[in-house]
Amino acid sequence: MEIKANGKSALAIIRISGPASLKVYQSLCPGQPNPKPRHATLRTLYHPHSPTEVLDSASLILFFPAPQTVTGEDILEFHVHGSNAVVKSVLSAIPLAATSDSSQAKSYTIRYAEPGEFTRRAFYNNRLDLTQVEALGDLLSAETEQQRRIAVKGSSAVLAQRYESWREQLLYARGELEALIDFSEDQHLDDSPSRLMESVKEQILALKVQVQASIKNALRGELLRNGIDLALVGAPNAGKSSLLNCVVGREAAIVSHEAGTTRDVIEVGIDIGGYYCKFGDLAGLRNQSSAQEVTISNIEHEGMRRAKERALVADVIVVLIPVERWSNSDGCDITTVDINPEVELTLRLCDIAKQTVVYVINKTDLVESSENIPSLQGLLEQKISDNYLPPSPLPILAISCLQDQNPRRVSRGVEGLVESLELLFKDMTAASGLGAAGWESSLGATERQRLLLEQCLDDLQAFLGQIHQEPVDQGHGNEGVDVVLAAESLRRAANCLARITGTGEVANVEEVLGVVFEKYSRSAISFVVSLLLTISCQVLCWEMMHLDRPSRFIELRSQMPLDSLLCQLLSSILKSVKPKSVHFVDHGTSSTITGPLRPKYSMTRNL
């Protein structure tokens, strides 16, 4: 028995799961008929040892019989008043139900549910698979709209059905290879060994593409689940802390005109358009030459080291380049933008295959006219190209953290940056693959599923590498390829898929033999009979006889009694071949199976 109750509210729900759920009801509601399944019933709850003591005068009761319940067991729910006193009294009375009825010969225990035990029982009773269990955990911990959406997608059975479909494909391909291993010498397969291997190869190549797409989408789904890591990179006093404060809407970081105020990494989580984003405000990057005779302390050196380390693991790097304004010798004000050498060095170390770089011009309030901003954007774009820095999927943005004070300076300031990041996040987490709409459920794949898919992909690649070593010999079947190792690679790949859904090992010989029989039992009578000869070692010989009348029969002679199970198996297989007459000779006893015989069929080989 289980009891689970959490929270404090106007109403409390106490859920009981187990085969003795109705016994608990009968103890708390003595003399009342059992509740109608899946119908709400109003009852008064009494103490099991004191029938006159009322625990709750108006409790709503729901009963769900097994197996169509959340745990696969009988479920009983008490909807009681939510005061602490009522809840405690009912909870203390429920365990006493196990001892209230002394007439019951079979005893049972009642205990509180362990954390996650309802879900665990649902898995053990095949109400949920592992993918749905993981999605349920994600749903309970979801904080943003996008996290909720991928959790809902993962909670459906689509993922498990896709993995099981892939596993069945591998099982079928492995069955073909097993047949090639054991029966190629009989020369009675429908397809030649080379055509058979080519068919399996095409199936695995198509499956490999699907697995790769699923892995890619799983990585994108992890961005939604774990949050998109964003790093603010720039020189000291570039406005990183000011931008962070503007985005989060509070004073999350200290802002000062003094360079190098931020010494450590400041991380703040924020919801941007339903996407959970972790903003990291980093220490400004500069070298000794750019310090303008200002000594860089050891603390600042450590801050810059941590900033570079944090930037190289971020999903999105926002590079802030401040507008610089100075006067030339003629007394004219010049505005320009330049990238700090230390910032350039950090950007060159980025992994452009995994990281996205966004360039932002800050402090545009120093520009006299907004008409000059496009020229600064063009200048920065040219410097990015000339210095071979990572490109950005977004155009260079121009902002000012003082936009509220100077609304006419920038038409699209910090709000425009946030909108652009939202579009970038949407692109980063969109499902990909053939028919991307059908692949959205793969965004809900967890890290555990992704790692097993990667292992499955490695096994598929190993299979393709094994069959690519040498071509299959046309005359002798599989001399050029180690088919045994190739089949083992497919077994390991199928096992990875089985572990995703929680079905465990799939080294089930009966499943593989089932595929073999399904494909080859109708191809030649010698195939099925030779298989039985190998397994039983009881049948000594067989021959096909042609009679003058338009009928054929198969006679099997044995010097020892045939096992009854073997006879049943032989009869079942021969029925699938459908000869017109089959005659068993076994120490004077015989039986006949009748059925149509396929035309133009003959066999001359004796074993």
Side-chain angles (χ1 to χ4, degrees):
M1 293 293 296
E2 296 176 311
I3 305 173
K4 184 173 181 179
N6 286 314
K8 178 182 178 182
S9 62
L11 293 176
I13 300 177
I14 301 175
R15 174 180 290 177
I16 304 174
S17 175
S21 297
L22 282 179
K23 301 297 183 183
V24 176
Y25 166 81
Q26 293 167 359
S27 297
L28 271 62
C29 303
Q32 297 294 330
N34 290 340
K36 187 177 181 180
R38 292 179 171 79
H39 283 73
T41 304
L42 188 64
R43 290 287 187 267
T44 299
L45 303 183
Y46 296 91
H47 195 281
H49 291 172
S50 179
T52 60
E53 182 181 347
V54 177
L55 301 178
D56 191 6
S57 59
S59 174
L60 201 64
I61 297 177
L62 291 170
F63 175 66
F64 305 92
Q68 301 299 325
T69 65
V70 65
T71 62
E73 304 170 331
D74 287 347
I75 292 287
L76 181 67
E77 289 186 357
F78 292 107
H79 296 233
V80 301
H81 292 92
S83 67
N84 290 332
V86 173
V87 173
K88 288 180 180 179
S89 65
V90 175
L91 288 178
S92 62
I94 289 177
L96 301 177
T99 60
S100 62
D101 191 354
S102 59
S103 63
Q104 294 294 329
K106 184 177 180 181
S107 62
Y108 53 92
T109 59
I110 301 175
R111 61 176 176 82
Y112 283 97
E114 298 177 358
E117 188 167 358
F118 270 56
T119 305
R120 183 166 65 251
R121 292 193 175 212
F123 171 71
Y124 288 152
N125 293 323
N126 295 322
R127 299 300 298 167
L128 296 174
D129 57 59
L130 275 185
T131 61
Q132 293 173 309
V133 170
E134 290 173 317
L136 178 59
D138 292 337
L139 184 61
L140 296 177
S141 60
E143 296 181 357
T144 67
E145 176 63 16
Q146 297 300 328
Q147 289 176 337
R148 181 195 65 81
R149 288 185 178 183
I150 64 167
V152 171
K153 292 173 183 176
S155 62
S156 65
V158 176
L159 271 180
Q161 291 172 356
R162 177 176 295 142
Y163 297 145
E164 181 62 21
S165 173
W166 292 347
R167 191 189 74 86
E168 290 178 355
Q169 292 180 41
L170 290 174
L171 178 65
Y172 190 83
R174 182 186 166 201
E176 291 182 322
L177 294 183
E178 296 286 354
L180 184 61
I181 294 172
D182 295 333
F183 309 113
S184 60
E185 295 181 356
D186 293 339
Q187 301 293 319
H188 298 303
L189 301 180
D190 286 343
D191 298 327
S192 65
S194 59
R195 291 181 58 186
L196 185 63
M197 291 296 293
E198 187 65 26
S199 173
V200 174
K201 173 185 172 183
E202 292 177 358
Q203 297 175 45
I204 299 305
L205 285 174
L207 181 59
K208 177 184 173 183
V209 174
Q210 298 181 63
V211 174
Q212 287 175 329
S214 187
I215 293 174
K216 183 178 180 181
N217 291 332
L219 288 171
R220 296 189 169 200
E222 288 179 18
L223 293 177
L224 295 174
R225 184 179 300 104
N226 303 327
I228 300 173
D229 207 348
L230 188 145
L232 299 176
V233 177
N237 260 358
K240 301 182 296 297
S241 298
S242 298
L243 176 59
L244 176 65
N245 293 339
C246 288
V247 172
V248 301
R250 61 183 176 87
E251 295 294 329
I254 299 175
V255 177
S256 173
H257 293 290
E258 181 181 348
T261 303
T262 303
R263 300 296 181 90
D264 205 347
V265 179
I266 300 177
E267 290 195 359
V268 179
I270 184 175
D271 183 346
I272 297 181
Y275 299 91
Y276 179 65
C277 181
K278 295 179 288 186
F279 269 82
D281 181 17
L282 312 182
L285 302 179
R286 61 178 175 177
N287 52 27
Q288 192 68 40
S289 61
S290 64
Q292 297 178 354
E293 300 181 357
V294 175
T295 303
I296 301 178
S297 65
N298 293 334
I299 296 179
E300 188 172 354
H301 272 297
E302 176 63 19
M304 289 191 295
R305 185 194 68 79
R306 295 187 181 186
K308 294 178 182 178
E309 186 179 76
R310 173 68 165 73
L312 295 179
V313 297
D315 300 310
V316 179
I317 300 176
V318 178
V319 184
L320 263 68
I321 300 97
V323 173
E324 299 178 3
R325 184 176 180 179
W326 48 279
S327 301
N328 59 12
S329 57
D330 298 331
C332 298
D333 291 336
I334 303 296
T335 54
T336 186
V337 289
D338 199 8
I339 303 177
N340 187 284
E342 282 296 313
V343 176
E344 288 189 8
L345 179 62
T346 303
L347 292 177
R348 290 194 177 93
L349 297 176
C350 295
D351 187 353
I352 59 176
K354 298 180 180 180
Q355 295 180 290
T356 304
V357 180
V358 177
Y359 296 94
V360 179
I361 297 177
N362 192 21
K363 300 185 179 181
T364 53
D365 52 279
L366 298 178
V367 181
E368 292 184 356
S369 174
S370 59
E371 297 177 355
N372 297 332
I373 293 179
S375 61
L376 293 177
Q377 292 172 320
L379 176 62
L380 180 58
E381 185 176 355
Q382 185 64 39
K383 290 185 177 182
I384 294 171
S385 177
D386 294 342
N387 295 330
Y388 301 101
L389 298 179
S392 174
L394 298 178
I396 296 176
L397 304 171
I399 68 169
S400 172
C401 296
L402 300 177
Q403 180 181 2
D404 292 339
Q405 300 178 14
N406 302 273
R408 292 179 295 178
R409 298 293 187 187
V410 184
S411 58
R412 292 177 61 83
V414 177
E415 292 183 359
L417 171 62
V418 172
E419 292 174 1
S420 298
L421 290 177
E422 184 179 341
L423 294 176
L424 176 63
F425 297 159
K426 182 178 180 180
D427 182 68
M428 291 173 58
T429 58
S432 62
L434 298 176
W439 286 91
E440 289 186 354
S441 59
S442 60
L443 293 173
T446 62
E447 182 181 9
R448 181 192 68 88
Q449 298 174 31
R450 176 180 60 81
L451 293 177
L452 288 172
L453 286 175
E454 290 177 349
Q455 185 177 345
C456 174
L457 183 63
D458 292 339
D459 292 329
L460 295 181
Q461 190 60 48
F463 166 81
L464 294 174
Q466 289 160 355
I467 66 173
H468 281 158
Q469 291 177 357
E470 295 182 30
V472 179
D473 188 87
Q474 296 286 343
H476 302 286
N478 57 344
E479 293 183 358
V481 176
D482 193 334
V483 185
V484 175
L485 289 180
E488 175 62 17
S489 296
L490 295 185
R491 186 198 68 80
R492 292 197 305 267
N495 183 50
C496 291
L497 297 175
R499 289 166 59 191
I500 292 179
T501 57
T503 55
E505 295 286 339
V506 294
N508 192 333
V509 179
E510 294 182 0
E511 283 188 311
V512 179
L513 289 180
V515 175
V516 173
F517 280 121
E518 179 182 356
K519 182 175 180 60
Y520 297 107
S521 62
R522 296 179 180 272
S523 61
I525 187 64
S526 65
F527 168 74
V528 292
V529 176
S530 63
L531 177 62
L532 293 176
L533 290 173
T534 304
I535 296 177
S536 66
C537 298
Q538 293 180 340
V539 181
L540 300 180
C541 64
W542 67 273
E543 60 182 357
M544 176 169 285
M545 305 179 63
H546 300 272
L547 305 179
D548 296 333
R549 62 181 184 273
S551 65
R552 303 173 184 176
F553 69 93
I554 299 172
E555 181 173 306
L556 292 94
R557 303 179 184 276
S558 174
Q559 300 300 324
M560 61 183 70
L562 293 176
D563 184 78
S564 61
L565 180 62
L566 177 63
C567 290
Q568 294 176 8
L569 180 61
L570 180 61
S571 300
S572 175
I573 295 175
L574 291 179
K575 282 181 179 179
S576 66
V577 181
K578 298 179 180 178
K580 186 170 185 179
S581 177
V582 178
H583 186 69
F584 295 94
V585 179
D586 182 12
H587 289 276
T589 63
S590 63
S591 60
T592 302
I593 303 174
T594 59
L597 182 67
R598 290 180 296 176
K600 299 182 180 180
Y601 181 84
S602 64
M603 177 57 63
T604 59
R605 181 177 178 180
N606 295 324
L607 297 179

